[in-house]
Amino acid sequence: MPDLKAPSAIGALLLTACYGGAATAPADTDPEPPATTQHGDAEGTSASDGSDDSSGEDWEGACDPAAHFEAVLWPNVLQPQCLMCHRQEGSASSSGFVLDPDDPGQSYDAATWAASTRVEGRALLDVKPTGIVEHAGGVRFAEGSYPHNVVLDFITHVDGQDCEDVDPPEPSGPFYDGVVFIDPVPLVRKLTLALAGRLPSEGEVQLAQDDGLEGVELVLDALVDEEDFYKRVKEAFGDILLTENYSLSSEPEYVLAYDLFPNRGWYQEDTEQFNGPYSRGMRYEPVELIAHILREDRPLSEVVTADYMMVSPYSARGYDLHGGFDMLASVQDAFEDPSDPEEFVEARLPALRSGGGLQQTSETGFYPHAGILSTFHYTYVYESSDSNRNRRRARMFYKHFLGVDIMALAPSVADAAAVTAQYDNPTMEAPECVACHETLDPVAGLFAVYGDTGQVHIPQLDWHTDMFAPGFEGDTIPSGDRWRALQWLGERVAADPRFAVAMAEHAWYVLTQTRVATPPLDTEHPLYPARIRAYEEQRRVIEAAADAMRTAGGDFKEAIRSLALSEAYRAEGFGGSASEAREAELEFTGAHALLTPEQLDRKYELLLGYDIHGENVLSRGSDILYGGLDYRSVVERLEVPNAVMGAKMRKWANQVGCEHVPQILLGRRETPVDLFPYVGAQTTDTDAVTDNIVHLHWLLLGRNDAPDSPEVLNTLSLFESVRAAGLNAIEADASEAELPYACRVEGTNTDADFVVRSWQAVITYLLRHPEFLTQ
Amino acid sequence: MNRRSFLRGAAALSGLGLTTFEPRSALAAPHDGLCFCIINASGGWDTTALMDPKGTPGLNRLYSESEIQNAGALSFAPTEGRLNGEGLTNETFFTRYGSELLVINGIDVSVNNHEPCTRYMGSGKLDSDRFPAFGALAASQLAPQAPLSFMALGAFGTTGGLIAKNTLTDFPSLLTLANADYTSYVANFRYMPEETVARIDAALSQQASGLPLRDRSEAAVLHAQEGSRNLEWVLDHVPADTPDDNFRRNIEVALTGFSSGACCSATIGLGQFDSHANNDPDQMNLIPNLLRGIDHLMVRAEQLGIRDRLVVVMQSEMGRTPWYNENDGKDHWSVGSMMVMGAGVSGNRVVGATTVDPETGHEQWPLTVDPQTLELDDAGIRMRPEHIHQALRELAGVQNSDAAEEFDLGVPQAERLTGLFGG
């Protein structure tokens, strides 16, 4: 039996591009598939390490459709191109061609059925995806493209004829052949910086030195329990959820409806004092919930099931209700410091009550909390409209908690105007529209109690009847659960296998600051097979992390651990010469990204004690100029730095070099870590200078370089050439023996040996170095 | 690790426009060729209220058939006396610019969701999220060394990895950063002698790791720093005053980039066109605002002496239904229009058209066009964004570049719109 788990089975549940199948395609006119049988004649070779050992010589697929299915057809065509719709829960579930990543036998049967069933003399598997006959999913790939050729090969295998004419797949070795991995000690540094914004302790370095990767694991175990790790998680999820969206341009109370929360404007008793902490409390409520769950070592599924909310001493005051409910009083005792705006505790809202005395329906007497889903923040940030009808909320729900981008379905509609004109209610009638809307609209209906800006309607308004009924993926919500619709949804999401995968994808972002890849769409590109392999390997890594999380009872930290120790994360380089195809395969290997402005800010502070966003450079608002977000119009960080960002890189490095280095070397300033343990302001000894450069390379670049390495010699050359030129200039009266005016410190500024200015150049150089500015 | 030299790594990155880190002596000259300003009416404009007028009541309540106006060969919706805010009337706009305007009606966008439509209209490719905006592709080929070569100011800005995207919208920051080697933007004191800076630049070489992501990321850091030196081109071009509204302020930023040679192309968005409710008041508020901005762009381009090398593309990701919904709004319609004027564009022309059902008025279907003659032809093709983008690439002269080949729009030769822009 083929082993579909090998490449990536669960990940297939993520969308490729889905095209509504069931209704348009003349499913009732398609040939009926045979009853499923189990095939055990094709033992799959496990490739759980991501390797693909298929090669021309060892090719077992000749005249062997099951081997071809597992090694070629599934990972290259069915999984990325067909599975999303052609699965039990998919929109093409009634088409007769239904795949199941967890049941290779069924998938194989479906494939062989589609390969052997003829329409006008050609196999269904040939003519459907190429659009030769009507396919509700549209043209998935062109005739003559790589996936089409794969399909034709498979059909040939199934036919059992001319198998010898089928070319074996291109030889390809284990995925990580030739890849060089980072050593344990720099790995520990990379992880402590990435996950906690700090350098490793001596003990942690020792652990890595002594025990290698096992030592790194021990470091990780402790690292993910640190408060700074939770801070990083909150920051990353802030990007994902756009947490800061509303409060940047709104007053803190706007997230709360006036008719329900009479005390929402309490801060106005002293706006200057309370606006900030109140706003902070409201703004960070969703990510504080995530941090709380991690801190308490609870399953991450509580992000959609928690029957409580998180309040700070300041946000609590905004949640007072009509009828005398005092939220702060109800949680007062839970705070360790009731004046700390950064402290959050669990809280439960009673059922809401309007100013007119109307009571929210609730069988428990409480507001039906459902983790983040039911926060007023979430429904406010993802607002709705008369025509949108909560579809935006439903779309974001799918993206955030199931890793599904519903909009990826949209391109399937080939002539939207014609569809709009043809049907009275296209979203429920036109197959092209139904494909998305039968998934999206029921979830939209579960948010029915929330108005356009997140306010709760009391009593709940009747929901639209010209939309698919509220529910989730085929299940309509029972009427008795309507009052707790989001709780009902959260329970289903928590049990959905896609939830763990989506969270593992978020974990990848927490760790690397990069988004996971989407499947390649250009099936006719010559590098398509290589790109598919790159994509598949990343899916395998993500799914392994999801599995680790599931096995640990939903512990998000296990997903982080799995990813941090994966080969994909630890890859540092490639030895030897890579072909264009091999480079395409390695596209996502070795996560690497520009540090965000927040991360760079921390790094400067941590290593140099310097606030790059302080008053001497540019204001905090300039983050946006360094690729940051405004969470409203700019919601994706810039991945490729532009010239403005390049100028900032230079400016910050120049400032630290000029203003800091003289102060440090002349004893006027201390840094958090000792930058110059081997030299002073007059040290010219080459060995000492070299030792200090080695030290700086480790400290600032994370490089464990030998004193005679090309990298250290390059930096030494810079030091020496700057110094030689400076000494010549002093001798020629073209430069002064004192520091230039802009870089002077209090007291003496003598630099007759040009040592201080040479180190200024070295530090400036290192702060402009790509290895300082990226991770 | 068997590290390769950066030069070999850079060669592998050529498809991404990230070349080796050059010393300062290799600074480029300011861009003095064609500039492209792509204005997007975000949300979906009502083409019947602008360049594709339809006078039937079910389709349009703003005016009647007999009130439709003409300027030369162009027809347009009358808006005089109908504005719902500040701005330019269609009458003024078409009278002023009709002789320069190419109107393209009946563009089939095929889909009707904002995201895919925006991608399709912005890049010419529907089924790929990698394809660059036309402006990014053109900038990467025409002015790769210009520091603000491609600016995305609230509009589609996917780059395909060809070039960095700039989102700078304020001038004070620019003034500070353009003199990053000086202690203040007035350039009184340097942090270090120029010679020392040159030595640092020279030391900043990169060794390729062989992993594409890492090599691209590190090369881009060096590239950004080197390119940032050319920000000084902008210093003498920053305007003393800027308009009050964001739209025209963004236009000023783009103009500063164009006139200084720091920018080759800019995409600028003006939002809120998604008029699902109260279509007519909303469109009559937004379209005049849009036209006022374009007028500002043209007037200022004239003043700055760059109008002869400026191409202006006006578009929206979709149109609006040829009927009203129950909220007096119009929903998404996958048929749209564009207007283009400027260098290399022959005006006073309309290419393409849409239908009107004489009985219901509820129609606005795209008519097919002969790609050779550009005349309406039942045996012709439906014009789609890839056809327009292919022609735009030809107008920019980048249709045969490596980048155009990498991001091939797949338009068969027989479907290419011959002489779309005239010129």
Side-chain angles (χ1 to χ4, degrees), chain A residues 367-418:
Chain A
Y367 174 76
H369 291 286
I372 290 173
L373 294 176
S374 62
T375 60
F376 302 105
H377 183 291
Y378 195 73
T379 49
Y380 183 90
V381 168
Y382 299 105
E383 61 188 11
S384 186
S385 67
D386 286 347
S387 60
N388 184 265
R389 299 178 178 184
N390 290 341
R391 287 172 176 130
R392 185 178 186 215
R393 289 172 183 151
R395 178 191 164 209
M396 299 318 297
F397 152 79
Y398 266 101
K399 186 175 179 181
H400 292 152
F401 301 109
L402 292 175
V404 173
D405 183 2
I406 294 279
M407 292 307 292
L409 307 177
S412 61
V413 183
D415 193 342

Side-chain angles (χ1 to χ4, degrees), chain A residues 47 113 182 194 201 254 310 356 456 489 495 520 522 561 621:
Chain A
W113 170 77
I182 190 171
S201 67
Y254 280 13
M310 301 301 294
V456 172
L489 176 65
D522 192 353
R561 275 171 47 99

Side-chain angles (χ1 to χ4, degrees), chain B residues 92-173:
Chain B
T92 303
F93 181 78
F94 280 89
T95 301
R96 196 170 288 173
Y97 298 107
S99 64
E100 301 176 59
L101 270 178
L102 165 67
V103 170
I104 308 171
N105 284 329
I107 299 170
D108 180 7
V109 193
S110 306
V111 291
N112 61 6
N113 299 87
H114 293 294
E115 204 165 295
C117 283
T118 299
R119 187 169 68 226
Y120 199 13
M121 284 298 288
S123 71
K125 189 76 169 176
L126 173 61
D127 56 354
S128 172
D129 55 8
R130 291 181 58 242
F131 268 57
F134 161 72
L137 189 143
S140 74
Q141 303 305 303
L142 299 178
Q145 299 293 334
L148 305 171
S149 191
F150 174 57
M151 304 180 81
L153 308 175
F156 182 73
T158 296
T159 66
L162 291 170
I163 197 163
K165 175 169 66 177
N166 288 275
T167 55
L168 180 79
T169 55
D170 71 299
F171 292 117
S173 299

Side-chain angles (χ1 to χ4, degrees), chain B residues 246-381:
Chain B
N246 284 338
F247 182 46
R248 284 185 297 169
R249 198 155 49 237
N250 284 344
I251 286 173
E252 276 295 338
V253 171
L255 283 164
T256 301
F258 295 150
S259 61
S260 64
C263 178
C264 172
S265 64
T267 61
I268 303 174
L270 176 65
Q272 313 266 321
F273 279 83
D274 199 16
S275 50
H276 289 284
N278 301 314
N279 179 77
D280 294 354
D282 281 2
Q283 295 287 336
M284 282 303 92
N285 173 268
L286 292 164
I287 288 175
N289 190 9
L290 177 79
L291 299 182
R292 179 179 65 170
I294 293 163
D295 184 52
H296 180 84
L297 171 65
M298 301 307 287
V299 169
R300 291 280 291 132
E302 182 75 40
Q303 292 170 356
L304 295 168
I306 58 169
R307 189 164 165 178
D308 62 341
R309 59 187 183 91
L310 177 64
V311 178
V312 182
V313 179
M314 294 152 273
Q315 64 176 46
S316 185
E317 68 261 33
M318 60 178 70
R320 309 215 71 84
T321 48
W323 60 79
Y324 291 84
N325 61 28
E326 65 270 25
N327 298 314
D328 295 326
K330 292 184 176 181
D331 300 319
H332 302 170
W333 188 243
S334 61
V335 180
S337 298
M338 291 174 74
M339 298 191 292
V340 187
M341 66 176 161
V345 181
S346 291
N348 193 31
R349 294 190 303 140
V350 182
V351 174
T354 55
T355 62
V356 175
D357 184 331
E359 292 184 6
T360 67
H362 292 182
E363 254 191 21
Q364 199 180 13
W365 300 107
L367 291 170
T368 52
V369 169
D370 182 329
Q372 306 303 313
T373 66
L374 303 181
E375 299 294 327
L376 299 178
D377 183 346
D378 289 343
I381 61 165

Side-chain angles (χ1 to χ4, degrees), chain A residues 315-361:
Chain A
S315 65
R317 294 183 64 180
Y319 281 108
D320 291 352
L321 296 180
H322 292 288
F325 173 71
D326 184 332
M327 173 63 94
L328 182 58
S330 75
V331 294
Q332 184 80 37
D333 294 343
F335 288 111
E336 289 182 13
D337 178 0
S339 66
D340 182 359
E342 305 211 3
E343 186 177 358
F344 285 75
V345 298
E346 293 185 18
R348 293 182 82 188
L349 266 175
L352 305 181
R353 182 172 172 161
S354 74
L358 296 172
Q359 190 76 28
Q360 179 184 25
T361 303

Side-chain angles (χ1 to χ4, degrees), chain A residues 395 574 587 650 711 768, chain B residues 115 207 209 216 225 228:
Chain A
R395 178 191 164 209
F574 183 77
E587 174 66 30
R650 289 168 47 223
E711 289 79 9
R768 289 177 53 191
Chain B
E115 204 165 295
Q207 286 187 312
S209 72
R216 268 206 310 278
Q225 291 185 38
S228 70

